Amino acid sequence: MTSEEFLRQAAEAARASSAASGFPPGVTVAQAALESAWGRSRLATEANNYFGIKVHGGMPSIALPTVEIVAAAPVRVVARFARYASMADCFHDRDAILARVPLYAEARAASADPEAFTRALAKRWATDPQYADKVLAIYRTHRLDALDR
């Protein structure tokens, strides 16, 4: 999948999930691009998981190696990730997680401001201390704010 194809498909899935959640679709696309290496990661290609969502509930899963930042150092681990039938299903689940899990209350409260939303989300979503800056760089470089208007 090319970056352009990824952007087109992700924008469609993000608009659909955002219609229900109210979260900024441009941020969703930027986050998915970062997390999935533009749809080319093994997790994306084998499990339609574009956000590194760990398995929850009784859903299907896949075990894959990943790197987590622990005490400011990268640590390789094997984690169980959620497996989805489609990109749209993954995007809807990501928004449902953000909408219901108390950890994301700050992000929910900032959903009208894409930068504040991204920074609040990053505090809880990822272990990488540069995560928000990376998502926002993709958001700005690819003018994904157009999806949020």
Side-chain angles (χ1 to χ4, degrees), residues 7-22:
L7 285 173
R8 189 175 57 257
Q9 290 175 20
E12 183 179 325
R15 282 188 187 110
S17 65
S18 180
S21 71

Side-chain angles (χ1 to χ4, degrees), residues 52-92:
I53 298 172
K54 303 288 193 320
V55 69
H56 55 96
M59 65 191 322
S61 67
I62 184 171
L64 292 173
T66 188
V67 175
E68 300 286 345
I69 306 298
V70 179
V75 177
R76 289 193 169 278
V77 298
V78 174
R80 295 212 64 85
F81 293 94
R83 182 187 295 270
Y84 297 95
S86 68
M87 179 185 276
D89 287 349
C90 177
F91 281 42
H92 280 287

